[in-house]
Amino acid sequence: ILQFVLGIRGKLPSLNPWSSAVFLSSSLPGNAPVNHRQRDNSPTALQKDVAHTLAVARQYLSWLPGGPAYLEGKTVLEIGPGINLGTALILTGFGAKVFVADRFPCGWENSYHSPFYSLLLHQLPKEFPGIRTCFLEAFIQHHQIPELLVFPHQLEDLRTVPYHSIDIFLSNAVLEHCQDPWAACREMARVARPGAIATHQVDFRDHRDMNQPLEFLLLTEDEFQKEFELRNGECGNRMRPIEWETTFREHGWKVSSFEPNFFTEEAYLKNFLPRLQTAAQPRFGDLLVPELSILCGRYQLEFS
């Protein structure tokens, strides 16, 4: 099986463009969440962050039926946007009302966000001809706009997001940080309109060390829960691809497609398998090589 899986790797996308977003720095015990740390506002860092924002927006727009025009009049929920709201503001420029949900919303740090949004504004017309920039201009001036609402909630408890209000769900390397994936899917179903669509890029790795991406599967449940809490969930929640698919379906989401786009290195996987089999973890001990080999992937969903 291992040889088969490694053999098909060359036939699948080696790395989805979204994957550049998922190399999060794991927070250490006592540290603030990533979104609340001091921002790097150097010109190089700002250019990199703007480039990343544009790349994520391009991926979101390319996935939508009919492209950007599909956003007109729709309500979008972007889950866990990170250290800025750049992607959400791009979506408003195509006529969407955007809700943002984040357990640790980024807020406004003038030394970072002012130059970041100004640089983004400068590049938008070249990147997306015809986009309406008035919303971003207003946001730079007032730090809020009616077309963009921020909900300071974790996905498991979208308490103030109205029932059946969301047409489109978007997330990039966020679902793996949910403490309770079952509750997260329940909440997405609660706020989804019939016919809603979703795309979720999920990173299944142990974020403590991306070079050893499966190590957290060796921990006991108690050991892992302590790690998860100490690191604000930024180590990842250990949900494997098949578990996510099952959980989506249980809550009324049809999985239109799942595209794996990053894979475990052969040498690491060969070393890891014997250790997993002797770790006596009932949840993970019976996982097959194909399931363990997938480190990142994108789900496309429809809600009935």
Side-chain angles (χ1 to χ4, degrees):
I1 296 176
L2 177 60
Q3 290 178 343
F4 171 76
V5 171
L6 295 173
I8 67 170
R9 287 176 58 184
K11 302 176 184 178
L12 290 170
S14 61
L15 183 61
N16 188 288
W18 290 3
S19 295
S20 62
V22 299
F23 291 90
L24 294 174
S25 300
S26 298
S27 66
L28 298 175
N31 280 9
V34 169
N35 288 0
H36 293 175
R37 298 183 198 173
Q38 183 71 35
R39 300 269 69 86
D40 184 349
N41 60 358
S42 67
T44 299
L46 288 168
Q47 288 280 3
K48 182 178 179 181
D49 287 353
V50 167
H52 170 67
T53 295
L54 294 172
V56 173
R58 283 194 298 269
Q59 287 295 319
Y60 284 157
L61 295 173
S62 68
W63 164 77
L64 293 172
Y70 186 80
L71 290 169
E72 189 68 47
K74 299 292 196 305
T75 300
V76 177
L77 177 64
E78 185 184 15
I79 304 160
I83 63 176
N84 60 68
L85 303 177
T87 304
L89 287 161
I90 291 173
L91 301 177
T92 67
F94 289 106
K97 184 178 182 67
V98 182
F99 294 171
V100 166
D102 202 312
R103 179 186 176 193
F104 303 112
C106 60
W108 183 279
E109 183 182 320
N110 196 58
S111 62
Y112 170 81
H113 289 103
S114 183
F116 169 82
Y117 290 123
S118 296
L119 184 58
L120 181 63
L121 177 63
H122 175 72
Q123 295 195 23
L124 275 188
K126 296 180 290 185
E127 192 72 32
F128 304 112
I131 190 172
R132 285 163 276 181
T133 60
C134 55
F135 303 110
L136 178 53
E137 292 166 356
F139 190 82
I140 292 172
Q141 183 175 359
H142 302 292
H143 305 174
Q144 59 182 5
I145 55 174
E147 295 78 12
L148 174 58
L149 300 179
V150 177
F151 294 87
H153 307 316
Q154 60 186 2
L155 184 57
E156 297 94 322
D157 184 13
L158 300 173
R159 63 194 75 170
T160 57
V161 178
Y163 279 79
H164 310 311
S165 60
I166 306 300
D167 300 295
I168 304 168
F169 294 77
L170 304 171
S171 75
N172 181 41
V174 176
L175 295 192
E176 67 269 16
H177 303 296
C178 294
Q179 185 170 22
D180 187 344
W182 195 94
C185 290
R186 177 203 64 203
E187 282 294 89
M188 286 192 288
R190 181 183 67 81
V191 303
R193 287 190 175 126
I197 59 176
T199 185
H200 301 292
Q201 172 76 12
V202 185
D203 186 341
F204 308 106
R205 290 174 291 181
D206 183 346
H207 288 42
R208 298 174 304 170
D209 184 349
M210 296 297 196
N211 293 317
Q212 300 188 80
L214 300 175
E215 296 300 305
F216 60 177
L217 302 185
L218 303 176
L219 300 176
T220 67
E221 196 62 33
D222 287 343
E223 290 170 339
F224 172 73
Q225 288 303 323
K226 290 178 182 178
E227 282 285 287
F228 191 88
E229 292 172 10
L230 285 172
R231 297 172 181 271
N232 303 307
E234 289 166 359
C235 58
N237 58 24
R238 304 203 293 184
M239 283 279 283
R240 310 323 298 164
I242 191 63
E243 292 178 310
W244 273 115
E245 182 168 340
T246 299
T247 306
F248 288 139
R249 294 185 189 279
E250 287 176 346
H251 290 85
W253 290 98
K254 173 186 175 183
V255 180
S256 302
S257 68
F258 174 64
E259 176 192 356
N261 46 47
F262 198 62
F263 297 87
T264 314
E265 292 295 327
E266 179 179 3
Y268 172 77
L269 192 54
K270 285 183 175 179
N271 174 271
F272 177 78
L273 283 170
R275 293 188 288 129
L276 180 65
Q277 292 164 358
T278 58
Q281 295 297 312
R283 177 177 166 188
F284 305 111
D286 294 330
L287 287 177
L288 299 177
V289 168
E291 188 73 5
L292 291 169
S293 70
I294 300 171
L295 295 182
C296 298
R298 181 177 67 178
Y299 295 93
Q300 295 187 12
L301 312 176
E302 298 177 16
F303 187 71
S304 55

